[in-house]
Amino acid sequence: MNSTPLLKALSILLTLIFLVMGVVYATHLSTPSASFSTSYFGYPDPKPMPNGEPKDMVEVPGFIQSFDISPDGSMIAIATSQELILYNLKTLEKIHILPLSEKVHQIRFSPDGKQLAASGSIRRYAGSGPLHVKIWDTASWGIQYEYTSASDGGDGSSFGALAWAPNSRQIAFSIPERGLSIIDVKTGKSVAELEDFIVPPFDLSWSPDGVRLISTGDLGYGLRRWRVDTDKWVRLFDVRPQPAMQVNWSPDGTQIASGHFGGTVCLWNTANNQCEGYIKAHILSVDALDWSPESRRIATASGAIRIWDSHSGELKYSFGFLDGIVYKQLRWFNPQTIATLEISYTQYLPSTIRFWDISTGEVKLAFRGWDNIQGLNNGGMALELNSVQISPERTVIQVSLHSDTPYTSIAGDWNLTMTDSRGRIHPLTDITPQTMDRSLMRMVQTVPLQAGEHITLDLSGFPQNGKMPLMMDLSASPVRFTFDPGALQIGESLELNEELEVNGFPLHLSGVRKVSANELFFEFATDGYLNGAMLSSPASSGSSSKITEDDKFTVSLLFSEIPNEKIEVEITRLYYSAYGPWLLEFQVAGSMFTDLPVVSPPASSAAQLVPTFTAQEPIFLEVSSLSEKFNNSLVQGPGWIHVVNAIVTETRQQGQTYPPPYYQDEQWLEFDFENRVTRSLTTHWDAEKNILQQSISTGRHHVNLTSGETMEIPTTRLTLDWILADLDYALLHNQTVLHEESVCEDGAPCLLITLNDGNINRRTWINIETGQQVKIQTSQQMPGEAENILYTQTFLSVDRVDVPPQNVLDVFSKVVFPPP
């Protein structure tokens, strides 16, 4: 019997059967297990944040930046602004502490729990610096792998996303160069890279089999699904959502959840790469999401936490709402518990990790950190809180200064002022070690603070509060222009019209003048933002800058001899002003309290109660008698002396900003039974009665309320004499001392005393009837008999009062000095 036709028929039949089964199977795979579009609308509002704190609350030092839980659930790693801390989740004890020097973006345990990775940006200025990835071995805490990117990133949140491969050997992270990098941790070598994203991926996740990687940041708001072993990828795209912020592959591998700006969630079918579940989960954004262990639920978070059925889109639970916070991280801990990290965006509330019971919305455990470390950014300059340590004796605070742009710093000195929520001023004593760069960092000391106090730090300079001179160093990449000085004769000017762009600033070179055989003056026009520059040329010996009127400034370029040929000129520095305030506000947290070494008080300075003079000449005895006469008429028994004098500065140096041509100096001096000065307030007023600067002292403690400068001063006896010390010195050193009768400005008879050291004349007019020194004038002796008057001080009033006005007493009540 010939069986060939039968076998052929059977073969065709089996082929058809398998073909049909394949089509059915493929159709089954392409058909979504759930197809829905749901929203939180129509559901009850989320349960509010529970009142009070849970029984188990751990105070964490620093602002909490990120966290992760070990795969076995035994410990939690918390990255703060201070350090990376490992806690035992059963005993809540610290297991280990690792130092941190960067702003951490993410930390992740490897799936086997044997490694811990952290990504962050090295802080070089206020934006961010290079990406830094570090991986530790969790047994020895030795560093297994370390990477630093060649380029800087954006704000530190758009790169550095971490994702461990399921095999715990490979790790993927986003990089500033708009791409992804996958590293073999054991060898430290690159496994694969992608560098053509529209932005660095915000988030990424491995498939459970470790073959594929899904990431945000692709073109068209899409996701990119990348098969690492073949380097092939596809784009997941849906027209409905905005760009993705979060992405996470489900544990069973069948779905991918993505959270988007606009508050929507897409649930993608991994069989056909289609968004078959669409949820309006939050109002503005989805800041965190994670899958439940059994892959049936997803938790999403923004200003509240919501739990969704991943197959139907049904909202199961909603809780944790508190106005002013956002949940920036979420981890499913076990089927009934999730952990979240919350930070404040409008109120100063502590950064906190909470472990929630999803069915009740109650908090089981919390780790509470600081509420804020970042100051207000004005003019590209901001303060950052590095450390606060409070003991029963003192508070030590460390801050650093950051700029938006590299190589920018304050062109001069800077200080800090500090106030609490009641408006009280806390004088800060500078204790910055010599090993610190004072131009970028300060360490200060003040009185002990109380838990819960709201503290405000501000950057201050002098003489103009609220205005800070800044300098941008361009020497590493200067802007160049050429000029031929041989075309000019000495004294000639040349009009120029050259537009320059200096690190983003428009600068117009408008002219040049040949001042001498050694100096050129270049004139620049700006939009009023820039106010100076420094120039350099291969043959030059120096440069200086001065502001002129009408949004212009000139820069001098010095030579030993100006070349007669074309030269290349470099702009090496730019100067401009920023306007504050630069407020840094934080609340005193429990973790700031610690033990600090007791500091011995500074050795007491010898009390200058009675100055000692040695001169016995008649002129000295006469002036001393007049001074004592006036002193005794006012300083008898405890009370206050009020002194007001006007100061006219008649000769000011180029570029001098303080003192102004005219101001009034007002002093309130309190003295005790022994005539010792116990408190004082000094205010400088301009002609319009605006405060230029103000300083206050109590006992030996003194603080300039304008600049923030604090110091210790010796105890002094109150005296209304301003000449005896100089007169005593002049007589002992054989300087010229002249004595003549004169008339005071009010017509009263005056004694005029003139001291001359060969260069400076100092004249003092003393009212003979009262003994009051009413006027002081200082001048410089010029060639011949000419004089150049420098400044004149005229005493407008000197009065004794029992109690000063309330506004003066209010200033004293606002300053918190340490106890004597």
Side-chain angles (χ1 to χ4, degrees):
M1 179 177 179
N2 190 354
S3 61
T4 302
L6 180 59
L7 290 175
K8 288 182 177 180
L10 288 173
S11 177
I12 292 171
L13 179 60
L14 289 172
T15 301
L16 290 173
I17 291 172
F18 283 120
L19 181 60
V20 171
M21 290 177 63
V23 170
V24 170
Y25 180 72
T27 302
H28 174 74
L29 287 179
S30 64
T31 301
S33 57
S35 182
F36 56 83
S37 178
T38 60
S39 172
Y40 67 86
F41 295 131
Y43 287 96
D45 291 337
K47 294 179 182 178
M49 180 81 71
N51 291 324
E53 301 293 354
K55 178 182 177 182
D56 293 322
M57 165 66 77
V58 180
E59 293 278 358
V60 178
F63 178 83
I64 301 176
Q65 299 173 334
S66 183
F67 79 95
D68 198 22
I69 301 168
S70 62
D72 63 3
S74 65
M75 60 180 171
I76 183 172
I78 302 176
T80 77
S81 57
Q82 303 288 294
E83 54 206 2
L84 198 158
I85 313 170
L86 284 298
Y87 290 93
N88 184 306
L89 278 175
K90 187 174 182 179
T91 65
L92 303 183
E93 296 177 350
K94 288 183 182 178
I95 301 172
H96 198 77
I97 297 175
L98 296 168
L100 287 175
S101 59
E102 58 268 73
K103 180 181 179 181
V104 172
H105 181 50
Q106 286 189 355
I107 55 175
R108 293 287 184 270
F109 279 101
S110 59
D112 61 8
K114 295 181 179 180
Q115 297 160 105
L116 178 65
S119 69
S121 54
I122 300 172
R123 297 300 300 271
R124 289 186 178 171
Y125 44 98
S128 69
L131 169 68
H132 189 210
V133 176
K134 190 183 291 186
I135 298 176
W136 295 271
D137 176 274
T138 57
S140 66
W141 294 112
I143 298 174
Q144 283 191 316
Y145 172 79
E146 198 164 4
Y147 164 85
T148 303
S149 67
S151 61
D152 292 345
D155 62 0
S157 63
S158 59
F159 63 87
L162 295 171
W164 282 97
N167 62 12
S168 295
R169 177 164 178 167
Q170 296 174 345
I171 190 169
F173 51 87
S174 61
I175 55 178
E177 294 80 11
R178 296 185 297 112
L180 289 175
S181 181
I182 300 176
I183 300 295
D184 185 304
V185 176
K186 289 188 177 180
T187 65
K189 295 181 178 179
S190 174
V191 175
E193 289 185 353
L194 284 179
E195 292 186 355
D196 57 348
F197 288 79
I198 189 171
V199 294
F202 286 101
D203 201 14
L204 53 151
S205 177
W206 286 88
S207 60
D209 59 9
V211 175
R212 295 172 177 84
L213 195 68
I214 188 76
S215 66
T216 69
D218 206 2
L219 295 170
Y221 299 166
L223 305 174
R224 186 177 300 193
R225 177 173 162 171
W226 176 27
R227 179 159 181 150
V228 177
D229 56 350
T230 63
D231 201 26
K232 303 294 183 183
W233 54 266
V234 295
R235 184 168 288 138
L236 278 62
F237 176 74
D238 192 285
V239 296
R240 292 171 290 180
Q242 297 180 38
M245 307 169 65
Q246 306 287 328
V247 65
N248 208 323
W249 214 301
S250 66
D252 64 9
T254 62
Q255 289 180 291
I256 295 170
S258 58
H260 300 256
F261 291 99
T264 58
V265 172
C266 266
L267 290 164
W268 306 81
N269 186 330
T270 58
N272 60 17
N273 294 327
Q274 299 298 308
C275 174
E276 296 179 345
Y278 187 75
I279 305 172
K280 177 62 176 175
H282 300 277
I283 298 175
L284 298 176
S285 59
V286 177
D287 296 279
L289 65 79
D290 196 18
W291 285 93
S292 63
E294 81 288 349
S295 300
R296 290 286 305 184
R297 295 167 294 172
I298 57 168
T300 66
S302 182
I305 305 162
R306 293 185 170 98
I307 311 295
W308 307 86
D309 186 294
S310 63
H311 287 193
S312 67
E314 181 185 356
L315 179 60
K316 295 294 187 180
Y317 305 102
S318 180
F319 51 88
F321 173 77
L322 179 63
D323 189 26
I325 67 164
V326 62
Y327 296 95
K328 63 169 289 187
Q329 196 175 333
L330 186 152
R331 286 285 178 271
W332 212 294
F333 181 54
N334 61 41
Q336 283 300 115
T337 308
I338 60 170
T340 61
L341 168 59
E342 72 197 48
I343 61 172
S344 168
Y345 64 89
T346 59
Q347 305 174 37
Y348 289 98
L349 301 171
S351 53
T352 306
I353 299 168
R354 299 182 193 270
F355 285 72
W356 301 84
D357 184 311
I358 63 171
S359 60
T360 64
E362 296 298 319
V363 178
K364 303 176 178 180
L365 164 67
F367 294 84
R368 184 171 61 194
W370 299 356
D371 62 345
N372 181 48
I373 58 168
Q374 196 65 51
L376 186 65
N377 190 327
N378 271 322
M381 212 37 92
L383 283 168
E384 183 173 298
L385 185 65
N386 302 125
S387 174
V388 181
Q389 295 177 289
I390 306 170
S391 72
E393 295 82 22
R394 59 185 175 134
T395 298
V396 174
I397 299 173
Q398 182 178 317
V399 299
S400 55
L401 189 64
H402 294 280
S403 169
D404 271 345
T405 52
Y407 313 114
T408 299
S409 60
I410 292 178
D413 198 15
W414 58 277
N415 290 295
L416 295 170
T417 60
M418 175 174 158
T419 55
D420 59 23
S421 53
R422 288 176 281 176
R424 300 184 305 170
I425 300 167
H426 293 248
L428 303 174
T429 302
D430 193 334
I431 57 170
T432 308
Q434 293 183 352
T435 53
M436 283 187 181
D437 185 350
R438 283 179 50 84
S439 66
L440 299 175
M441 193 170 291
R442 292 292 166 84
M443 186 177 288
V444 294
Q445 178 177 288
T446 187
V447 298
L449 300 178
Q450 302 300 313
E453 278 191 280
H454 189 88
I455 299 300
T456 300
L457 296 172
D458 193 9
L459 188 65
S460 64
F462 186 80
Q464 292 174 296
N465 195 23
K467 178 181 178 182
M468 193 68 63
L470 302 181
M471 184 271 291
M472 186 181 297
D473 188 347
L474 306 168
S475 55
S477 55
V479 175
R480 299 177 175 89
F481 63 90
T482 57
F483 171 70
D484 186 358
L488 283 177
Q489 298 297 317
I490 294 176
E492 285 186 342
S493 298
L494 180 65
E495 212 173 286
L496 300 174
N497 186 21
E498 188 169 352
E499 297 293 339
L500 303 170
E501 183 179 337
V502 187
N503 213 26
F505 294 101
L507 192 60
H508 180 74
L509 177 58
S510 58
V512 61
R513 183 168 178 260
K514 195 171 187 177
V515 180
S516 67
N518 309 100
E519 188 173 16
L520 294 171
F521 269 11
F522 292 90
E523 185 176 75
F524 294 90
T526 74
D527 58 1
Y529 188 61
L530 303 175
N531 52 37
M534 293 291 269
L535 302 179
S536 178
S537 183
S540 65
S541 58
S543 177
S544 62
S545 180
K546 72 173 184 177
I547 302 172
T548 59
E549 297 178 356
D550 302 324
D551 293 339
K552 295 179 181 179
F553 63 85
T554 60
V555 185
S556 167
L557 193 58
L558 297 172
F559 300 83
S560 56
E561 185 177 353
I562 297 176
N564 288 320
E565 58 200 21
K566 187 177 290 187
I567 60 173
E568 185 177 74
V569 181
E570 295 181 343
I571 302 175
T572 57
R573 289 185 181 180
L574 278 183
Y575 295 93
Y576 61 99
S577 295
Y579 294 86
W582 293 270
L583 303 179
L584 194 168
E585 300 180 70
F586 67 93
Q587 192 168 18
V588 177
S591 59
M592 294 176 179
F593 291 85
T594 185
D595 292 328
L596 287 170
V598 177
V599 177
S600 301
S604 299
S605 304
Q608 293 181 286
L609 296 180
V610 182
T612 303
F613 301 121
T614 57
Q616 294 297 315
E617 286 82 344
I619 188 173
F620 181 85
L621 296 177
E622 181 182 4
V623 173
S624 178
S625 175
L626 289 171
S627 176
E628 186 176 356
K629 174 182 178 180
F630 185 64
N631 251 33
N632 291 338
S633 69
L634 294 174
V635 186
Q636 291 294 325
W640 290 80
I641 293 293
H642 181 218
V643 181
V644 180
N645 56 82
I647 298 174
V648 177
T649 304
E650 303 191 36
T651 301
R652 306 176 79 230
Q653 300 297 318
Q654 181 177 317
Q656 179 179 333
T657 57
Y658 203 89
Y662 172 87
Y663 71 96
Q664 286 189 7
D665 178 293
E666 180 183 30
Q667 297 181 48
W668 291 92
L669 303 162
E670 183 187 40
F671 55 96
D672 60 15
F673 282 102
E674 297 180 355
N675 294 346
R676 290 178 300 187
V677 177
T678 55
R679 289 191 290 178
S680 68
L681 173 65
T682 301
T683 307
H684 289 177
W685 307 87
D686 65 12
E688 288 75 36
K689 298 300 290 182
N690 299 308
I691 294 179
L692 299 174
Q693 73 162 320
Q694 194 170 51
S695 59
I696 188 174
S697 65
T698 297
R700 298 179 60 248
H701 304 292
H702 176 87
V703 60
N704 187 312
L705 302 179
T706 304
S707 69
E709 184 179 6
T710 303
M711 65 183 71
E712 297 291 317
I713 59 175
T715 304
T716 61
R717 181 183 289 275
L718 178 61
T719 177
L720 301 174
D721 159 70
W722 321 102
I723 185 179
L724 282 177
D726 289 341
L727 178 58
D728 181 64
Y729 181 89
L731 291 169
L732 289 177
H733 292 81
N734 298 317
Q735 294 178 2
T736 301
V737 178
L738 301 178
H739 169 286
E740 60 182 297
E741 293 185 358
S742 181
V743 178
C744 298
E745 292 181 355
D746 62 357
C750 261
L751 177 64
L752 173 59
I753 304 295
T754 302
L755 311 179
N756 183 288
D757 64 1
N759 181 38
I760 298 296
N761 292 317
R762 183 183 182 190
R763 293 184 175 89
T764 304
W765 285 263
I766 306 172
N767 187 310
I768 296 176
E769 295 176 349
T770 65
Q772 179 185 357
Q773 298 165 21
V774 294
K775 183 178 178 181
I776 299 171
Q777 187 178 78
T778 301
S779 64
Q780 185 177 17
Q781 189 71 50
M782 307 301 287
E785 296 186 0
E787 289 185 62
N788 181 27
I789 297 176
L790 300 178
Y791 76 90
T792 302
Q793 181 178 0
T794 304
F795 290 85
L796 304 180
S797 63
V798 181
D799 302 299
R800 176 192 171 104
V801 296
D802 292 328
V803 180
Q806 187 60 45
N807 63 323
V808 172
L809 296 175
D810 289 342
V811 177
F812 286 103
S813 66
K814 288 182 178 180
V815 181
V816 184
F817 282 111

